[in-house]
Structures are given as structure tokens and as C-alpha cells.
Amino acid sequence: MATIHLLGHSHIDAVWLWTKDETLKVCVETFSRVLDLMDKYPGLTFCQSTAQYYEWVEKSRPDLFERIRARVREGRWGIVGGSWVEFDCNLPSGESLVRQMLYGKRYFIEKFGVDVDIAWLPDSFGYCWTLPQILAKSGIKYFLTQKLRWNDATVFPYNVFWWRAPDGSSALSHQTLGSYSESLDDWGEIERQLLILRLRHGVEDLLVLFGYGDHGGGISETHAERALEWIKKYSSGDRTVKFSTAAEYFSQLEKHAKSTNLPVVSDELYLQFHRGTYTTQAEVKKWNRRVEALIENAEKLAVFAEGFGLPYPREELREAWKTILFYQFHDAICGSSIKEVYEEARQDYERLYNRLSGIVERSIEAIAKNVDTRGDGKSILVFNTQSWARDGIVELEISSLEEANEHVILDHEGRPVASQVISDGRRGRLLFIAEGVPPMGFKEYRITSKGKKQPAPTRLAVKEAQGKIVLENEFLSAEIDQQSGLITSIRHKESGREIVRPGEAVAIHVFEDTPASARKALDGGYEAVLFDAWEVYIFDQAEGVKSIRLDQPIEVEIVERGPVRVVVASRYRYRQEGREDSDITVRTMLYAKIPILYLEIEFDWRAWHRLAKLSIPTSIDGEYVYYEIPYGYIRRRIPYSERASLSERAKHEVPGQRWIDKSSEKDGIGLSVLNDCKYGFDSTMHELRVTLLRSPSYPPKWPAVALESWLKGEEPTDQGRHVAKIGLYPHRGDWREAQTVRKAIEFNNPLIARLEEAHGGQLPKTHSFIDVDGGDAPITVVKQAEDGSNIVLRLYEPHGREATVTLNVAPSIKEAQEADLLERPVKPITIKDEKLAITLKPHEIKTILLRR
């Protein structure tokens, strides 16, 4: 017998065409209206996600909050989602996705006694492949979306399916037949949806989400009356129409899943629409990457500092996480909100950055006071927050350039180390390369007056010859054409292979990105031309793709010739008719002892409806490119391969995180491209491209949302200064052998240095707080548990193969347990001889509780 499940719903955007203060008003108005209707219509049911909304209402309207609690207890108000907000699933880090569930679910358990088991992301712009594991390990069984109806190339073929992550975790998933805000004015449409569901999956239960979102007020009296009319009119012997809940609906799907073989999707849920959201509002994306790294480091260092009497700042860190999670709402981080949202976000991020930096500084200070720093001169303590020993660049702020030039840096054996004084016009810094800094610990260097000993020369060089500038260290050489300012050669010394495709060059291309009527969503018919901030239009232009290559520099010069770093600056100007000129500077940097060529790209961007990509033409053959995704990776076929399917061809702009890689198994060579703040990429058969910047129009403010406002566009986004760092890392073998994951983490987490006066202390000059053997599974999290003083560790397996990590634990650690992502114990782990062996299955995320 068929059952039509009617469920009230209001999709409320955390920020979009309004700021968060307006969202609170919307929540209060919507929730009040729904509760009043529930009083009038005893059978009416409703569901609402987003812990942030409930917390706002709890603090501002406790009376309303208690009315919600009463309806939740009654079973008519369903809490869904389990997350802090309805987050984007491509741009936040893996740990951010974990914290969405950790803080969201904990709130709902604490305030309502509800352990939410339905992930509710109806409007997010695509879903990373690793999400089912994060959901499963957070106690989430089910997943709902409707967004894949918006595809513009192929129809997503399933409405009920198992969505399986790379590790094998699955979520029973539902792609709704209709939208999340049905009007209940067309019974024929309901019949159509039920027929499709029957034909595709043999399912007789249809979920209909009705109501207005955002400023619509949720459910109207008309909705309630029409629902009652349908219940009375269309319920018959072989069909039931009723008010229902999301929990009831998924329980029916689960019964069906047990009796039939549902399709299994072992892939990302890529949305063939809104591809520009990986790039629009570059500043908020850079802030997000920066504070994600900073808060993980703050937690680790705060745990280490607690052992020296500094209280762990649990509440401060928790509130910091809530700010990060809030701006990971899909319109905010994706760049599709109004200007005022990003002005407010910038202020919030700056305050957050200062608070987290304060935690890091206080923690390092507490540790440093307990280190034996006696010796000549001053101590430089270099901290490594990662779980493997590493070499890395150290930048130490100095009081004066004159003072720095009169000093030398010594390593732990007293040998002089090459250093370099640099200045950006605002501050002076001392630069050197630290080697072998232990995992989760520190290593001492010293700065003292120059003696007779001189540092051994490095193998770093820069020279000009025959119209080229050549940069070289022990790992690679790079050539820059002086006429164009472009990198025309990157040679990997160990293999002798040239990475840049012969006759081509690494260059920035600026594309025309004007909204054009060329595409629309297949289901619903939304025209891409209406979504300027959301879409990439470079392939939609009627005359074909239009772009120019920046290859006529204003100036090309060597600006640094030190023993630690050499830098070549190429300066360009981009002109667009009717706009101020945009200035772009590419600084190509090579360091001693580092196998990566750095590009620091600085924009003073004034263009409108233009998109800038960094093109890296490569001689490496192959039809696949690997991309980092939250707590994992994905392999995507290049869309221009002759073997590419229609859905693969639709992936002409894709999301990624800190690294992408193309490697040739046949030739045993590869190139990883690292970045510190970018998320949009594409590739051709002989080219990797990083989308650096785009400048669409801001969407109009509420309530001025007439169609003319959308099309006219009154102000471009992303104007002004932007700086991004890209790392080009040629390597032997594939990205696993090259430890690209480590290199990308290091790229985003520089070593931290502190200058310390000489004093005694209980800690030696080199020390690991967590002694780790086997680093193929990075320890991403060291924090104090949300409840109590236990220590939480989180690791993940990044390479798709089993890994074992051994921790040498302190005698004070008496017990260890594996836990879920909500820090609830799952099973004990044996500690033997003060060692803890942790084995991870391929792609697994694992959480460990250490009891003190």
C-alpha cells in the first residue's frame, strides 16, 4: 500500500541575502508561527535542522524554546541534521565536518535528549565521498538531500540508495523527488513523484516536504488546510496520506532496504551546477583555511601546556569552533551571500584569529619556561605540531635588521646554520631551515654573536644567462624566461625529467566569465545565468572560451639572492575596458633543502566578470588526477579523456583541498600542486589548473530580489588585494611514495618559532610530547575531551592502504579506548610496555581516548 508522508519544513539560510541578526528574527517568526499552527492543528508535524538556530532561540527567547521542547517530547517537532549548520561538504576540512556533528549532536542530546540520526543537507552544493564515514562514526544512519535534482548534464538516477564511503561505511540515502518546500497545490505532481519512485526502486512511501523557507514563515494555514484536505480526499484502500516525521519515513525506507537490493553509490555526489562556489569570495575561503589550521594547533599545544600548569581553554576553543562552523554554512563559505555578510565575517575571523593566536602563544610560553635553554646567546625553540619529524622553513620576527646581521644561528650541535635577513617593508624576519624537528615537539636552535665559524654554503643558486633566470637547489632547477616572466622549465634532478611541457610555460590565464544563457538545472529548470556568484561561465560564452595569458610583464627581476631563499618577481597588469587596471605579481621562490618550487601570487584585483587560473602545462602522461577531499582523496578522470563518460565530462571544474597530483606509473614521475587557500581546480590532458580568483556580482540584498536585480549586478565581488601560495612539487613515483599528504599539511602549517632567554628547565633541548613511530596516518587532533580530562587523538589513513601507528605513551596513561567521533567509547585498546599500537584500515578515520 502506498503512503504519502506529509511533513512541514522550513529551509532557513543561516546567512544569504541578509546577515545573521536577520536570521535570528526569521527563526523566531517561523518557529512561533509553526508552534501556533501546531496548537490549532493537532496532527500537524514539522522538522527543523541546525543547532545554531536552537541555541540562538534558547538564549534570546527561552519561552519559545520551551514550547519547542514540549513539541519535541510530543514527537511532532522533529530535530534533523545533527550538525551545527547545514554545512558545505567540499570546502571545510575533514575535522571541521567532524566538529559539525560533534557540537551539533551534543547540543541536541543535552537540550532535547535526542540523538539525531538523520543528516539533513537538502541545499548544499555537492557532497564529498568521505562524508558517509563521518556520518556513520557520528551515529548518523540516514542522509537526505534534494540538490542533485539541479544537475545540468545528467540526471542523477537514484532516489533511494546506499551511499558508501571509501572505507566501506554507508548511509541509507534519499534524494527527494520534489523540493524541500512543496506548495501542496498540485496533487498530480505528487502522483508523478510516487510513480517515479515505484518504477525506479519499487518504493511505495513518498516523502513530501512542504512549507516556506527563509522569510516565508514556515507553514501557512493554507498548507495545513490543504494537507488535511488531501488526507481526507486521497486516502483510500490502497493509499494512505498522512502527517508524518522524517524518522518514520526513513524507518520505512530501511524496511524496504532489508527486503531488496538497493543501488550502491561508491563515489562523491558531485553537483553539476554552482561550480563557481569553489572560488567566489576568496578572502573568506582563505580565512577558513587559516583558522582551521590554527585551531588544530591551538588544541594540541594547549594539551601539551596543561602539563605545566596552564588550564586547558575548553570553552574558549568550543566557542571558536562554533564561529568556524557557522561560516561553513553553504552560502557563506561558498561565496553566494551579500557583501554585508562578508564584512561581518571578516571582523569575526579577525577576532577569532587573535584569540586562537593568543592560545598558541600562551601555550608555547608555558612550555618554553620549562625548557633548559642555557647556553650562549638566546634560544630559538622551533615547534612542530605534526606527528612526524620534519624539515621546514622558519621565519622569526626580529627587532632590527642591523641586529640580525650581526648574529649567527647554531644548530643543536653548535654548528652554524645558513640564515637570511628579509624584510617586506613592514617588519624584519630572520629566515633559516630547521631540520629534523621531532614529531609533536620542539627542537632548539640558538642565535648568538657571529664567531669565526661560518655556515657551510648551501646548494641554492640563482643566475642570469641567455635571456633566462635559473633557480637551482639540490632537488630541482627552474628556468624563467626574462622576456615573459614565465616558468618555462622545472627539472626534477633525481630522475632527470622535465616537468613542464616543452614549448609551454606556467602562466596565469584570465578568462571572460560573463553570465550567459547556456545551461539550466535539468529538474526545475533554474537558469545558470541567474546565479552569477555561484556559476563558472567561461565555457558558456557564445563565441567560445575567451582568455588571455599574462606574458607581457612590466618588470622581471631577482629580488632576493640569499643562501636560504632566492626570489624572482614578475609583475603584470591586466586591463579591462571600463575598469581600473589589475596588478598581478608572481614571486617565484626556491629554498635551500626544500624540494618544492613556491609561487606567491599577489593580486590587486579590479576586474569584473573575469576568472583567473594558474595553468601548469605538464609533460606527465595519464588520464587521472588525484585530489584531496575532507579526510581523504578522490581520483577523477580528466574530463577531456576520450574514455570520459558524460557525467565525467561534466566535471570540468571540481573541488579539492590542499593538494592535487598527476603521476605517471609508466614513467615513475609525478607533480603535486600544493596550495594554502584554494579549492577550485580543473585539468586538461596536458595541464593542471588552479582557479585563483573570480569576480562575479554580489547577489542583491533582501527584499530587493526582483529578477532584474539578479541580472543587472550592481557591484563585483573579490576586489582588492589577494595573496595565495602555490607549491609545485615534482617527485618520483606516485603521490603516496612522495608523501604529498605530509608536504601539503606542512605547507599549511609552518613551523612555529619562539625566541627564549637562557634559563634552566625540566625539559631537554629536543623533545616530543607524543612519541610516534610510523607516520603514514597523520594525527590531526590532540585535544582534551569535551567531558572530563581525558585526551582525544584523531588519526586518518590517507593513502588507501592499511597503516599502523605506535604511540609511546607516558606512564600516567593507564587506559586507552577507541571511540566514535562524538568521543563515546567503542572498545578498549591494549597498552603494552607503555606502547599503544593503532592499526587503521584503508581510508579509516580513528578516534582514541587516553585516560589519565
Side-chain angles (χ1 to χ4, degrees):
M1 185 175 74
T3 302
I4 311 297
H5 298 255
L6 303 178
L7 177 58
H9 174 247
S10 182
H11 175 71
I12 299 174
D13 290 301
V15 283
W16 183 30
L17 308 182
W18 49 85
T19 60
K20 56 189 175 185
D21 288 343
E22 179 73 12
T23 310
L24 172 57
K25 295 177 185 177
V26 169
C27 289
V28 169
E29 292 168 1
T30 300
F31 297 171
S32 298
R33 186 175 184 180
V34 169
L35 290 166
D36 289 345
L37 285 172
M38 283 183 157
D39 292 340
K40 184 173 182 178
Y41 297 95
L44 187 63
T45 55
F46 180 76
C47 69
Q48 182 65 55
S49 71
T50 306
Q52 176 70 84
Y53 300 164
Y54 291 88
E55 186 181 70
W56 280 344
V57 172
E58 178 191 12
K59 292 178 177 179
S60 65
R61 285 290 304 276
D63 58 322
L64 190 61
F65 188 74
E66 288 305 317
R67 290 180 68 192
I68 294 172
R69 282 163 57 98
R71 291 304 183 194
V72 171
R73 288 192 297 267
E74 188 183 4
R76 292 172 59 199
W77 183 299
I79 296 174
V80 293
S83 52
W84 196 251
V85 295
E86 290 186 11
F87 52 91
D88 178 75
C89 303
N90 290 315
L91 311 186
S93 69
E95 187 56 29
S96 288
L97 300 190
V98 170
R99 301 302 175 101
Q100 287 282 353
M101 308 313 299
L102 173 68
Y103 292 116
K105 285 199 64 171
R106 280 180 58 87
Y107 180 85
F108 290 132
I109 291 170
E110 178 186 347
K111 302 297 181 179
F112 296 94
V114 176
D115 190 356
V116 180
D117 60 4
I118 303 171
W120 197 268
L121 296 167
D123 200 35
S124 299
F125 309 147
Y127 308 91
C128 63
W129 189 14
T130 46
L131 186 57
Q133 181 181 183
I134 293 170
L135 298 180
K137 291 197 170 187
S138 302
I140 298 285
K141 297 167 60 179
Y142 313 115
F143 168 77
L144 178 139
T145 184
Q146 62 88 44
K147 202 65 177 184
L148 301 175
R149 300 167 59 243
W150 291 47
N151 276 2
D152 65 7
T154 62
V155 173
F156 186 74
Y158 310 123
N159 296 98
V160 183
F161 59 98
W162 291 105
W163 184 23
R164 184 170 296 162
D167 78 310
S169 301
S170 293
L172 180 58
S173 301
H174 181 47
Q175 160 72 30
T176 63
L177 278 296
S179 77
Y180 51 58
S181 54
E182 295 288 295
S183 61
L184 302 187
D185 59 3
D186 184 359
W187 178 256
E189 170 61 18
I190 303 303
E191 292 276 22
R192 185 191 72 85
Q193 292 179 19
L194 181 59
L195 176 61
I196 293 173
L197 199 55
R198 283 171 169 164
L199 292 174
R200 284 183 177 174
H201 304 295
V203 172
E204 297 284 346
D205 287 82
L206 176 69
L207 178 63
V208 179
L209 299 173
F210 67 90
Y212 299 121
D214 293 324
H215 289 72
I219 306 171
S220 69
E221 195 148 344
T222 301
H223 285 128
E225 291 289 348
R226 189 165 291 147
L228 289 171
E229 178 187 339
W230 281 10
I231 290 169
K232 183 177 180 180
K233 183 176 180 179
Y234 295 114
S235 293
S236 61
D238 63 347
R239 180 173 57 210
T240 298
V241 183
K242 66 175 186 175
F243 289 120
S244 188
T245 65
E248 182 179 356
Y249 182 71
F250 274 100
S251 71
Q252 292 302 115
L253 290 187
E254 192 166 34
K255 290 177 183 177
H256 180 78
K258 291 177 180 177
S259 62
T260 190
N261 290 322
L262 290 178
V264 176
V265 177
S266 295
D267 198 358
E268 64 182 333
L269 302 182
Y270 174 86
L271 178 64
Q272 300 167 358
F273 217 57
H274 293 356
R275 300 172 181 90
T277 60
Y278 316 143
T279 304
T280 308
Q281 292 293 346
E283 185 181 25
V284 77
K285 291 172 169 62
K286 184 169 184 174
W287 271 119
N288 176 74
R289 179 77 65 81
R290 182 184 297 172
V291 296
E292 282 180 331
L294 183 57
I295 197 167
E296 288 186 19
N297 290 332
E299 287 179 334
K300 291 173 182 176
L301 292 166
V303 166
F304 304 153
E306 187 192 19
F308 303 100
L310 187 67
Y312 185 81
R314 181 189 282 114
E315 285 303 318
E316 193 175 359
L317 287 165
R318 186 179 290 160
E319 291 304 309
W321 266 114
K322 288 179 182 179
T323 299
I324 294 171
L325 301 179
F326 177 82
Y327 284 111
Q328 290 171 349
F329 174 75
H330 54 265
D331 279 309
I333 194 173
C334 289
S336 47
S337 294
I338 59 172
K339 184 177 183 179
E340 288 79 359
V341 168
Y342 298 109
E343 291 172 344
E344 191 171 55
R346 186 183 307 113
Q347 295 171 8
D348 287 344
Y349 277 128
E350 287 175 352
R351 286 191 290 266
L352 176 61
Y353 184 84
N354 290 334
R355 288 199 300 270
L356 292 173
S357 296
I359 293 173
V360 168
E361 290 169 11
R362 291 194 301 272
S363 299
I364 287 179
E365 181 182 15
I367 295 167
K369 286 180 178 178
N370 289 274
V371 179
D372 184 352
T373 58
R374 289 173 293 185
D376 292 337
K378 293 182 180 180
S379 171
I380 302 173
L381 297 177
V382 179
F383 286 81
N384 171 20
T385 57
Q386 305 310 314
S387 54
W388 57 89
R390 60 182 282 202
D391 304 342
I393 303 157
V394 177
E395 291 192 18
L396 183 69
E397 289 198 25
I398 49 178
S399 57
S400 71
L401 300 180
E402 294 78 10
E403 180 183 352
N405 283 317
E406 295 302 317
H407 286 75
V408 66
I409 293 175
L410 307 176
D411 68 11
H412 66 291
E413 294 183 350
R415 295 173 299 197
V417 173
S419 63
Q420 182 174 335
V421 178
I422 58 175
S423 174
D424 58 9
R426 292 173 293 179
R427 57 178 182 166
R429 288 168 293 160
L430 193 60
L431 193 70
F432 68 96
I433 305 299
E435 298 181 85
V437 184
M440 300 282 189
F442 61 85
K443 181 177 182 178
E444 186 195 50
Y445 285 76
R446 303 199 69 81
I447 182 169
T448 186
S449 298
K450 282 186 175 178
K452 294 181 180 180
K453 288 186 178 180
Q454 295 296 317
T458 66
R459 296 172 64 183
L460 183 67
V462 59
K463 62 184 179 180
E464 298 175 78
Q466 299 177 337
K468 297 177 182 178
I469 300 174
V470 180
L471 297 75
E472 186 172 8
N473 69 7
E474 53 265 63
F475 298 104
L476 57 90
S477 65
E479 294 181 1
I480 296 173
D481 177 69
Q482 285 185 298
Q483 186 173 352
S484 67
L486 303 181
I487 300 168
T488 56
S489 170
I490 303 173
R491 183 167 293 276
H492 182 249
K493 287 190 170 182
E494 183 184 358
S495 66
R497 285 292 304 269
E498 173 60 56
I499 301 300
V500 177
R501 189 170 172 81
E504 300 187 36
V506 178
I508 294 172
H509 295 247
V510 180
F511 293 79
E512 187 168 316
D513 193 33
T514 304
S517 294
R519 294 178 290 112
K520 65 179 182 180
L522 295 176
D523 190 346
Y526 298 102
E527 294 277 354
V529 72
L530 301 177
F531 294 94
D532 195 355
W534 290 257
E535 296 296 330
V536 168
Y537 300 105
I538 64 175
F539 302 110
D540 297 359
Q541 306 305 307
E543 300 84 4
V545 176
K546 296 180 181 179
S547 69
I548 69 164
R549 186 175 82 162
L550 299 183
D551 56 10
Q552 297 181 23
I554 298 169
E555 184 180 36
V556 179
E557 65 172 330
I558 301 170
V559 294
E560 289 184 33
R561 294 175 178 267
V564 179
R565 181 172 80 179
V566 293
V567 181
V568 177
S570 303
R571 300 183 177 90
Y572 303 89
R573 181 157 292 152
Y574 174 74
R575 292 182 169 89
Q576 180 184 358
E577 186 176 352
R579 302 289 301 167
E580 291 182 53
D581 293 346
S582 296
D583 290 326
I584 300 101
T585 301
V586 180
R587 298 180 187 90
T588 304
M589 305 178 177
L590 189 62
Y591 291 83
K593 303 182 180 181
I594 302 293
I596 298 167
L597 185 67
Y598 284 69
L599 305 181
E600 183 181 77
I601 305 172
E602 181 176 358
F603 287 86
D604 182 13
W605 188 244
R606 305 295 170 184
W608 195 351
H609 287 138
R610 295 295 184 267
L611 181 149
K613 284 181 176 285
L614 177 69
S615 167
I616 307 151
T618 175
S619 60
I620 298 167
D621 293 327
E623 61 176 325
Y624 291 98
V625 177
Y626 288 80
Y627 301 79
E628 184 185 39
I629 60 176
Y631 271 149
Y633 70 89
I634 190 168
R635 185 183 76 163
R636 298 183 178 113
R637 194 191 301 271
I638 295 172
Y640 306 100
S641 165
E642 62 183 16
R643 299 179 180 86
S645 66
L646 185 58
S647 60
E648 288 173 326
R649 291 179 189 275
K651 295 184 179 183
H652 50 75
E653 181 83 7
V654 294
Q657 298 208 336
R658 295 171 295 193
W659 62 268
I660 67 173
D661 182 89
K662 186 178 184 183
S663 298
S664 170
E665 185 176 344
K666 179 184 69 173
D667 297 330
I669 193 73
L671 175 67
S672 296
V673 181
L674 318 177
N675 75 86
D676 73 341
C677 60
K678 297 303 168 187
Y679 296 92
F681 306 89
D682 76 322
S683 58
T684 67
M685 294 307 294
H686 301 291
E687 186 181 25
L688 299 174
R689 297 197 294 201
V690 182
T691 309
L692 299 171
L693 211 56
R694 64 184 301 263
S695 46
S697 298
Y698 280 102
K701 287 190 284 187
W702 179 268
V705 290
L707 182 60
E708 292 79 6
S709 297
W710 287 96
L711 295 176
K712 180 181 179 184
E714 297 176 355
E715 184 179 1
T717 71
D718 290 273
Q719 301 297 284
R721 184 174 184 265
H722 299 270
V723 180
K725 286 186 179 178
I726 307 294
L728 304 181
Y729 172 41
H731 56 78
R732 290 191 70 96
D734 69 4
W735 58 274
R736 298 174 180 89
E737 295 173 59
Q739 292 288 358
T740 290
V741 172
R742 286 190 186 182
K743 291 290 189 288
I745 293 173
E746 292 172 3
F747 198 83
N748 284 266
N749 292 269
L751 294 169
I752 305 169
R754 175 183 172 83
L755 199 61
E756 186 75 7
E757 298 290 343
H759 55 66
Q762 58 183 301
L763 290 174
K765 296 179 180 294
T766 298
H767 181 69
S768 284
F769 292 101
I770 298 179
D771 192 3
V772 185
D773 293 329
D776 277 353
I779 299 176
T780 56
V781 172
V782 181
K783 65 183 286 286
Q784 197 175 90
E786 294 299 311
D787 296 315
S789 60
N790 297 321
I791 302 301
V792 175
L793 306 182
R794 188 140 39 245
L795 312 83
Y796 82 105
E797 195 292 300
H799 296 145
R801 56 196 184 194
E802 187 175 286
T804 298
V805 174
T806 301
L807 305 182
N808 298 301
V809 299
S812 60
I813 304 297
K814 301 299 182 184
E815 184 180 344
Q817 292 179 304
E818 185 177 339
D820 68 5
L821 295 179
L822 268 62
E823 303 177 5
R824 298 178 295 202
V826 173
K827 62 182 179 182
I829 303 176
T830 302
I831 298 175
K832 185 177 181 180
D833 298 328
E834 297 184 356
K835 293 183 181 295
L836 180 65
I838 304 168
T839 299
L840 295 93
K841 296 181 295 184
H843 309 283
E844 184 179 13
I845 305 164
K846 185 159 284 190
T847 304
I848 307 297
L849 285 179
L850 301 179
R851 299 189 182 276
R852 295 187 285 189

